[in-house]
Amino acid sequence: MTAGIVRPMIGRDSRYFWDGTAAGELRIQRCNACGALRHPPGPACPSCGALDRGHVLAAGTGTVFSYVVHRHPPVPGKELPIVIALIDLDEGVRMVGEVVDVADGDDGPEIEIGMRLRVDFNRVDDELSLPVWRRA
């Protein structure tokens, strides 16, 4: 286990997601009753209230809806600055994610609203792979 990194809470509602990242897949929760997609995952469908949930594989591409650059305070296991974006996935759900490999120049990081991104996976250790986003 890698010391210092903040690890996600993994429970019944999110296990499928983290099993997917370990397999190099981006999974989105889907209601088996009405077909609605949702993220973040939860026990009941917000569209129809059903408790019958499954998942679909996402294409792993999307567009920056909004972003922030985190410069302070320090985050355990991370090098600052950290670019965090709201990403509109092509499947129609929105996800929060870290955007990597965007240079931090004098005018700030090279990221903009509307930029196309693709998912990648950062293998932290044998137990955890985190989704990260890069330019498409």
Side-chain angles (χ1 to χ4, degrees), residues 69-103:
V69 180
H70 179 94
R71 297 184 187 280
H72 190 77
V75 176
K78 293 287 187 177
E79 184 177 324
L80 298 179
I82 305 167
V83 177
I84 305 294
L86 283 174
I87 302 140
D88 284 335
L89 299 186
D90 293 344
E91 289 79 8
V93 298
R94 189 170 286 161
M95 181 177 288
V96 175
E98 180 180 359
V99 181
V100 297
D101 297 337
V102 286

Side-chain angles (χ1 to χ4, degrees), residues 15-134:
R15 166 101 22 226
Y16 79 94
F17 180 83
W18 298 109
D19 288 348
T21 63
E25 299 174 346
L26 186 65
R27 297 176 178 178
I28 302 170
Q29 193 172 57
R30 180 178 65 93
C31 176
N32 288 332
C34 74
L37 299 178
R38 64 182 180 267
H39 190 84
C45 177
S47 296
C48 73
L51 300 175
D52 185 11
R53 58 193 186 260
H55 69 269
V56 297
L57 295 183
T61 52
T63 304
V64 175
F65 175 79
S66 183
Y67 67 92
V68 297
V69 180
H70 179 94
R71 297 184 187 280
H72 190 77
V75 176
K78 293 287 187 177
E79 184 177 324
L80 298 179
I82 305 167
V83 177
I84 305 294
L86 283 174
I87 302 140
D88 284 335
L89 299 186
D90 293 344
E91 289 79 8
V93 298
R94 189 170 286 161
M95 181 177 288
V96 175
E98 180 180 359
V99 181
V100 297
D101 297 337
V102 286
D104 191 27
D106 293 337
D107 296 328
E110 295 175 349
I111 186 171
E112 59 187 33
I113 292 170
M115 178 185 285
R116 293 289 295 164
L117 300 174
R118 65 176 171 78
V119 75
D120 197 0
F121 298 93
N122 178 19
R123 187 150 198 69
V124 174
D125 56 34
D126 289 343
E127 299 174 7
L128 181 63
S129 289
L130 296 173
V132 294
W133 294 84
R134 301 179 189 277

